[in-house]
Amino acid sequence: MRMFVHRPVLMANLAGILVGFGMFANFLGVSYLVQMPEALTGNGFDASILRASVQFLLPGAIVSLLASPMGGQLVRHRGPRAALALAAGSAPSASAGSPSTTATPSR
């Protein structure tokens, strides 16, 4: 148990928890947002489950799949702090492409 309070292990675990929570909230939030009927809420995309997953969730999953080897290379060559700083710095630009800022509701 003493290993978990060792600073590098603790920080890695906290970062993993925060990233996992962020990914869960992103997938759940995007899924609910795009499936919400526009007539009911005034915002929403009236998307089916298939459209929500293919059009809005699949691109992010593919980008994550393709970017993960680059993240491993970055950690190997620059260290985990540089990779975490780059990921934290790119999060605002990644959210600029979210459905709430780019897509228009279907009519």
Side-chain angles (χ1 to χ4, degrees):
M1 292 305 280
R2 283 184 281 150
M3 176 181 70
F4 291 113
V5 295
H6 188 59
R7 186 171 173 84
V9 175
L10 179 64
M11 291 300 133
N13 287 337
L14 287 176
I17 288 170
L18 291 174
V19 168
F21 177 75
M23 289 175 62
F24 174 75
N26 180 34
F27 277 110
L28 198 64
V30 168
S31 180
Y32 280 150
L33 173 71
V34 299
Q35 291 180 42
M36 201 173 295
E38 183 184 8
L40 179 66
T41 61
N43 57 6
F45 299 105
D46 269 337
S48 67
I49 294 173
L50 180 64
R51 179 175 172 227
S53 60
V54 171
Q55 185 178 357
F56 295 102
L57 297 177
L58 186 61
I62 291 172
V63 168
S64 295
L65 181 72
L66 297 176
S68 61
M70 292 186 287
Q73 292 290 330
L74 183 64
V75 168
R76 183 181 320 159
H77 294 294
R78 301 284 184 200
R81 287 186 180 161
L84 189 59
L86 181 67
S90 65
S93 63
S95 67
S98 70
S100 61
T101 59
T102 59
T104 56
S106 61
R107 305 236 179 229

